[in-house]
Structures are given as structure tokens and as C-alpha cells.
Amino acid sequence: MTLTQKRLLILAVISVTAFVLGRLAVRAVMNMLLGGTLFGGNVL
């Protein structure tokens, strides 16, 4: 595996992680604004 391939693979992993965490952060903020449960279902 060349250095360029390693860089692209690491960049892809970081991009996917950032995308998932970004969506989760947006859901958490909207959840707090709208007063729902973050992951669905009844907590009580």
C-alpha cells in the first residue's frame, strides 16, 4: 500500500466519522429544542 493510498484511506475514515458525529450533534440539538427523546422510545 503506497503512502497516497494510506492517506486516502485515513481521510475516508475521518470523513465518515465526522459525518456521523455531525448528524448526531444536529439531532441532539434539535432534540433539546423540540423536547423529544434522542434515540426514540419511552425513557420512563
Side-chain angles (χ1 to χ4, degrees):
M1 202 178 239
T2 64
L3 186 61
T4 306
Q5 286 175 327
K6 284 183 183 177
R7 283 184 182 173
L8 286 175
L9 183 64
I10 291 170
L11 186 63
V13 169
I14 291 174
S15 297
V16 168
T17 305
F19 178 75
V20 169
L21 289 178
R23 283 190 53 110
L24 190 61
V26 169
R27 270 186 81 182
V29 170
M30 292 299 286
N31 176 52
M32 287 182 196
L33 288 175
L34 298 174
T37 57
L38 183 58
F39 297 107
N42 280 334
V43 177
L44 299 177

